[in-house]
Amino acid sequence: MRLRALLDTDALGLRLLGGDEELDRTVRGVMTTDLRDPSRYLAGGELVLTGLAWRRDASDSEPFVRILASAGVAALAAGEAELGAIPDDIVEACARHRLPLFAVNESVAFATITEHVVRQVSGERAGDLAAVVDRHRRLMTSGPTGGGPDVVLDLLGSDLDLRAWVLSPAGRAIAGSSAAGPALSGAVCARLAAEHLAAARTGRRGPHRVQVDGTTYSLFPIRSSGRGPASAAAAASTAALRDVRETVLSDWLLAVEADAGDWPEERLDLLQGVTQLIAVERDRRDAARTVRRRLAQEVLELVQTGAAPAEIAARLRVAAPVLLPGLGAAPHWQVVVARVEWDGGEIEGGPVAQSLLEEILVDPLSAGPEPSDRIAVAHTGDEAIALVPLPAVSSEHDGSETGLLADSLLESVRDPLSAGLDGDGRLTLGVSASVHSAEGLRGALEEARHARRVAAARPGRVCAAGHQELASHVLLLPFVPDDVRRAFTARLLDPLRDYDRRHRAELIPTLEAFLDCDGSWTRCAARLHLHVNTLRYRVGRIEQLTGRDLSRLEDKLDFFLALRMS
């Protein structure tokens, strides 16, 4: 389609700000971005939609527009919702680079423009493919007549003879066409997800071609537009300066059993359009999670601030019907704590860990987006915390272990997530025992946090630990006699306290921070505002005074327990 055709559709809310002489350019696709440098995702010919969250000041406009012009995009459309009128520096930069510029009225969603362009572009290239895309669009609409991604993939199979599946980054099958034959095995799903994450981390542009057991698959990333009904404002404020590591562990992928390297441009463009339509379903799912996230945040704030159990119980009664619709009895609860950390520490890990927990806590054998509707996850700082409801145990229950087990939690997702973390990131999880009432939630939260610290002391990119591994120490602390507590803590901490009194060396605060940072020199030094060499000197002094080695898990645990008991 031509650019000038966009101005003929009033419903798109586009107003031309510059580039009248370029309106005969051909539009080959559409992309929504607020990245400062989206070049890796551009193939040329796109209408680029942006909310301008990348712009901090006037100096940012020239490099952004230069990148778009160099990539050969057809035009730029800037939304007026964030800044109001489009700044003059953007208008001038587009004029210098002969890049047509449109303003998008704040009342028009980017998804409306995306659907229109995908439908028109496909329609002009091939009438039969246009019919497929149009049917996809209608079937993806909300309400009882909407088909969701499964029906979209059915149409790919029936109209284009393509077997395809939508997978999560952890390798869970979210959707698949009924004509796709036998379901992909868990091992194949995990392998495809791992290959996709590894390729995304290197910045390679999709589709990625992979051979598994002699079969060739092409992997297309499905990226959330951030324009769901509840997330538009949040997306505009957080998308600037986004690193690939902030999204790679949460993006879905479309796996097609075919070699896309042999495809004509028309078919590639169609599949890219299909990923954009499936992204609408992704946005709808993310918007639906907003209520559960808010419930989790409210409950956890009450727990962490020491609210009365009755107040916490009241919030749990509100949460239970949302998380377990139709359940007659009040559920038991487990707490899972996760932390994602990247080398350098410049990327906040909490939102990434939140998205991962929402996926990891789904039964790996389940399909579709719906199973995650029973999980409530909040995040604070670099930590994500999940409230997992469990059906009440019947009176005939034999007392055996119920609920989530740390050992099996990551079994099916360890390989793909390790590929996504790719040498510079870590995921650690801790799982509490189940609790039966509001009074137990605070202890469950502390238990999950302790277990996560145990997991962090282990080697590997992805580690988990459960409450069973704390039974020999943390759970027994309240029953340790006072004289034993005093002797244990005095033997370990008194030399450090005496040294601090004489030299004001702050060894105790340093030890606490070092353990809280899981032995990370860089994060601990940054937290204490110290040079790493100064931190190493202090830790060396701690080891010299106590005769312990802080690189050993056993000594770390002894210090941790001593600090807890003191």
Side-chain angles (χ1 to χ4, degrees):
M1 67 179 297
R2 306 286 181 181
L3 278 176
R4 64 175 67 256
L6 296 172
L7 294 173
D8 296 333
T9 306
D10 294 337
L12 299 183
L14 295 175
R15 187 173 73 260
L16 185 67
L17 300 182
D20 311 61
E21 67 283 0
E22 304 291 337
L23 289 180
D24 285 326
R25 289 187 182 187
T26 299
V27 180
R28 298 179 58 249
V30 62
M31 175 189 178
T32 299
T33 185
D34 275 309
L35 293 171
R36 298 182 69 190
D37 180 4
S39 57
R40 73 176 72 182
Y41 305 117
L42 296 172
E46 297 94 339
L47 171 66
V48 173
L49 306 173
T50 179
L52 301 179
W54 50 266
R55 181 185 179 275
R56 295 173 300 185
D57 54 46
S59 65
D60 291 331
S61 298
E62 169 63 23
F64 180 83
V65 172
R66 183 172 64 250
I67 288 168
L68 300 188
S70 299
V73 306
L76 174 65
E80 296 179 319
E82 183 72 12
L83 300 178
I86 308 304
D88 291 341
D89 48 273
I90 297 177
V91 177
E92 293 164 4
C94 287
R96 282 194 297 273
H97 291 278
R98 300 178 63 83
L99 182 67
L101 174 64
F102 297 92
V104 182
N105 189 278
E106 63 180 343
S107 65
V108 177
F110 283 4
T112 300
I113 300 174
T114 297
E115 291 182 8
H116 177 84
V117 171
V118 170
R119 188 167 63 251
Q120 294 301 317
V121 168
S122 299
E124 291 183 4
R125 287 188 174 145
D128 59 331
L129 297 186
V132 174
V133 172
D134 187 62
R135 288 163 67 189
H136 288 173
R137 179 188 61 79
R138 287 185 282 106
L139 287 166
M140 289 295 291
T141 57
S142 59
T145 60
D150 288 291
V151 181
V152 173
L153 300 185
D154 283 343
L155 289 173
L156 280 181
S158 62
D159 290 40
L160 299 177
D161 196 27
L162 290 175
R163 291 157 47 87
W165 301 264
V166 175
L167 305 179
S168 78
R172 185 174 64 90
I174 293 171
S177 64
S178 59
L184 290 180
S185 69
V188 172
C189 289
R191 172 77 183 279
L192 293 176
E195 294 285 352
H196 163 72
L197 291 172
R201 284 300 311 274
T202 61
R204 297 191 344 244
R205 183 180 296 169
H208 314 302
R209 288 174 289 163
V210 179
Q211 269 209 344
V212 180
D213 298 334
T215 301
T216 300
Y217 299 87
S218 296
L219 310 179
F220 296 79
I222 300 172
R223 297 186 176 90
S224 173
S225 69
R227 293 279 166 181
S231 61
S237 65
T238 61
L241 297 173
R242 176 161 280 187
D243 189 292
V244 66
R245 292 174 292 179
E246 295 181 75
T247 59
V248 69
L249 294 174
S250 57
D251 286 340
W252 288 356
L253 68 139
L254 176 66
V256 181
E257 189 180 303
D259 188 343
D262 300 330
W263 285 1
E265 286 294 322
E266 289 82 0
R267 179 160 287 199
L268 281 172
D269 287 346
L270 174 66
L271 264 292
Q272 295 290 357
V274 169
T275 65
Q276 292 169 343
L277 292 174
I278 294 175
V280 175
E281 176 68 19
R282 169 69 188 274
D283 289 340
R284 186 179 297 123
R285 183 208 63 166
D286 286 345
R289 284 181 169 175
T290 301
V291 173
R292 296 189 296 279
R293 288 175 170 178
R294 186 179 302 120
L295 283 171
Q297 197 73 48
E298 290 174 354
V299 172
L300 289 168
E301 285 177 0
L302 291 174
V303 170
Q304 295 185 103
T305 56
E311 187 176 0
I312 299 173
R315 296 308 303 162
L316 289 178
R317 283 194 294 272
V318 173
V322 176
L323 300 178
L324 288 177
L327 185 69
H332 298 173
W333 301 88
Q334 274 183 288
V335 176
V336 181
V337 171
R339 194 176 187 122
V340 172
E341 297 168 302
W342 303 99
D343 290 354
E346 70 277 4
I347 298 174
E348 185 180 2
V352 182
Q354 182 181 47
S355 296
L356 274 180
L357 269 188
E358 288 171 333
E359 171 58 34
I360 290 171
L361 295 176
V362 176
D363 182 350
L365 298 180
S366 64
E370 292 77 16
S372 61
D373 291 350
R374 295 188 172 188
I375 298 163
V377 186
H379 77 84
T380 173
D382 287 333
E383 185 180 68
I385 304 168
L387 286 175
V388 182
L390 303 171
V393 182
S394 67
S395 58
E396 292 84 10
H397 186 255
D398 60 6
S400 60
E401 186 63 47
T402 60
L404 300 170
L405 298 177
D407 291 340
S408 59
L409 190 60
L410 297 184
E411 183 176 345
S412 62
V413 301
R414 191 184 307 274
D415 289 344
L417 294 182
S418 295
L421 294 163
D422 190 36
D424 62 348
R426 289 200 77 199
L427 167 66
T428 51
L429 293 96
V431 182
S432 80
S434 62
V435 295
H436 305 232
S437 63
E439 289 88 341
L441 272 183
R442 184 174 180 83
L445 176 58
E446 287 301 312
E447 192 173 66
R449 283 174 167 161
H450 297 331
R452 193 207 63 80
R453 292 190 180 99
V454 171
R458 296 170 175 167
R461 290 287 160 192
V462 180
C463 298
H467 62 92
Q468 304 92 335
E469 300 173 66
L470 304 179
S472 64
H473 36 80
V474 172
L475 296 186
L476 297 179
L477 288 183
F479 307 102
V480 177
D482 288 343
D483 57 342
V484 176
R485 285 173 177 254
R486 286 192 294 270
F488 182 73
T489 58
R491 186 164 56 249
L492 277 178
L493 301 183
D494 279 3
L496 306 182
R497 290 169 175 151
D498 292 341
Y499 192 88
D500 281 348
R501 279 195 294 269
R502 293 197 307 270
H503 302 283
R504 298 182 180 178
E506 299 188 18
L507 296 185
I508 292 290
T510 301
L511 176 61
E512 292 175 331
F514 188 73
L515 294 176
D516 194 47
C517 291
D518 301 320
S520 169
W521 297 100
T522 53
R523 289 194 295 109
C524 184
R527 175 180 295 190
L528 296 175
H529 306 291
L530 297 175
H531 191 278
V532 171
N533 289 342
T534 304
L535 175 61
R536 290 185 184 276
Y537 172 81
R538 288 189 183 179
V539 170
R541 180 63 68 183
I542 291 170
E543 293 174 334
Q544 181 184 35
L545 290 169
T546 61
R548 299 300 185 104
D549 181 354
L550 276 168
S551 66
R552 297 178 68 247
L553 173 60
E554 293 84 352
D555 288 343
K556 285 180 182 176
L557 285 175
D558 281 346
F559 277 121
F560 169 75
L561 293 171
L563 289 168
R564 288 281 295 170
M565 288 192 294
S566 65

